[in-house]
Amino acid sequence: MNIDLHCHTTLSDGKLTPRQLITYALDRGVTTLSITDHDTVAAYEDLAASPLRIIPGVELSSQWRGTGIHVVGLNIDLHSTALRDAIAQQKLARRERARSIAEKLEKKGIRGALEGAARMAGNDNIGRPHFARYLVETGICKNISDAFSSYLGSGKSGNIDQFWPELPQVIDWICSANGIAVLAHPLTYKMTRTKLSVLLDEFISAGGRAMEVVSGQQLGQQTRDLAKICRQKNLLASCGSDFHQPDQSWAELGRFPAIPAECSPVWDYF
Ligand code: AMP
Ligand code: MN
Ligand code: MN
Ligand code: MN
């Protein structure tokens, strides 16, 4: 069994189309896959039948105490009205945020960023990686990582979380769509253990049921720490590569450490 419950396609900031992603997953021996694009489920409109077990999913953007927090919704009902409403609202938030990011960049003397990012996205689901690609294309930044550390990453003016709904709202949307709300990549928020514990308590009281114990490549110690927290909080454990493109630096599709045996896997509840 090779289960990957977090990855992206061209419908958000990934580089493979849904069909290319499925072929790629099959080539790598993945048996169960959830495509979890940022704030959209459009990938599910373009899937051909395949031997892969597909778990309908999404990665919703939210904010908690002013910090951007990502919540993966797994095994969601793609036809639920709650999900449709959620996606419509996220689309507006993302559009407003993109305008605001472009304005901030303009103040720094960078022109045409909104049009440039839209061109990179190829659709109206514009994310920071599309701005990053524009900054690299124009030669303003030398690579994507430089674009995040100079303009788009934490503490920089192009990192704006105020447009996203509060955390309980996105959890509620996922629950209303009969999905399981999973806290995505807990280590990326760089919180102290105490703050992460408070976040998880609020996540749980809002209806959250799982956390990613494994997100891409991570150290054995990190996996053990997260597994311990997961058990302490009585949460289900999820895992995924957060794959965006072949040759990305953090993890290949379907290739990451196993979740420790003492964790209850989220897929037992699908
Ligand atoms: P957004 O949903 O528009 O806020 O963009 C978030 C996405 O940006 C993440 O899912 C990653 O794909 C990407 N990202 C975030 N931080 C970095 C970074 N430091 N370097 C490269 N990509 C990043
Ligand atoms: Mn992404
Ligand atoms: Mn994320
Ligand atoms: Mn992701």
Side-chain angles (χ1 to χ4, degrees), residues 51 67 77 99 127 145 157 187 189 196 215 246 253:
T67 297
D77 173 4
R99 276 201 208 112
S145 161
S157 59
L187 295 175
Y189 312 118
L196 180 59
S215 173
L253 194 70

Side-chain angles (χ1 to χ4, degrees), residues 6 8 12-14 36-38 59 70 94 129 133 148 185 242-244 250:
H6 189 149
H8 298 272
S12 64
D13 54 3
T36 54
D37 274 316
H38 298 285
E59 181 174 18
H70 288 179
R94 208 167 253 285
R133 287 173 207 163
F148 273 90
H185 41 65
D242 207 356
F243 175 85
H244 284 68
W250 58 93

Side-chain angles (χ1 to χ4, degrees), residues 92-108 110 113-115 117 126 128 131 151-152 156-164:
L92 289 177
R94 208 167 253 285
R95 198 180 290 162
E96 290 300 304
R97 187 187 68 146
R99 276 201 208 112
S100 178
I101 293 174
E103 271 170 30
K104 303 255 180 188
L105 293 175
E106 180 107 36
K107 287 198 181 116
K108 297 199 176 292
I110 299 167
L114 187 58
E115 297 70 22
I126 302 174
R128 286 179 290 153
F131 281 101
Y151 295 102
L152 302 161
K156 299 296 163 185
S157 59
N159 180 28
I160 310 170
D161 292 316
Q162 80 215 34
F163 291 94
W164 300 128

Side-chain angles (χ1 to χ4, degrees), residues 47-184:
L47 287 188
S50 86
L52 262 184
R53 181 177 183 207
I54 303 279
I55 306 297
V58 68
E59 181 174 18
L60 295 178
S61 310
S62 76
Q63 55 168 319
W64 179 74
R65 299 192 179 183
T67 297
I69 300 289
H70 288 179
V71 181
V72 165
L74 292 177
N75 210 23
I76 46 173
D77 173 4
L78 294 171
H79 304 292
S80 92
T81 49
L83 186 72
R84 273 166 206 264
D85 291 350
I87 282 167
Q89 193 171 316
Q90 295 294 78
K91 196 171 182 173
L92 289 177
R94 208 167 253 285
R95 198 180 290 162
E96 290 300 304
R97 187 187 68 146
R99 276 201 208 112
S100 178
I101 293 174
E103 271 170 30
K104 303 255 180 188
L105 293 175
E106 180 107 36
K107 287 198 181 116
K108 297 199 176 292
I110 299 167
R111 295 167 159 269
L114 187 58
E115 297 70 22
R119 184 161 44 77
M120 294 296 168
N123 55 50
D124 64 355
N125 195 8
I126 302 174
R128 286 179 290 153
H130 304 119
F131 281 101
R133 287 173 207 163
Y134 176 71
L135 292 171
V136 173
E137 184 194 65
T138 51
I140 294 164
C141 294
K142 59 181 189 301
N143 53 43
I144 298 291
S145 161
D146 175 34
F148 273 90
S149 56
S150 304
Y151 295 102
L152 302 161
S154 70
K156 299 296 163 185
S157 59
N159 180 28
I160 310 170
D161 292 316
Q162 80 215 34
F163 291 94
W164 300 128
E166 292 289 335
L167 179 71
Q169 169 71 84
V170 306
I171 297 170
D172 193 51
W173 280 328
I174 293 166
C175 295
S176 302
N178 294 322
I180 297 180
V182 185
L183 181 71

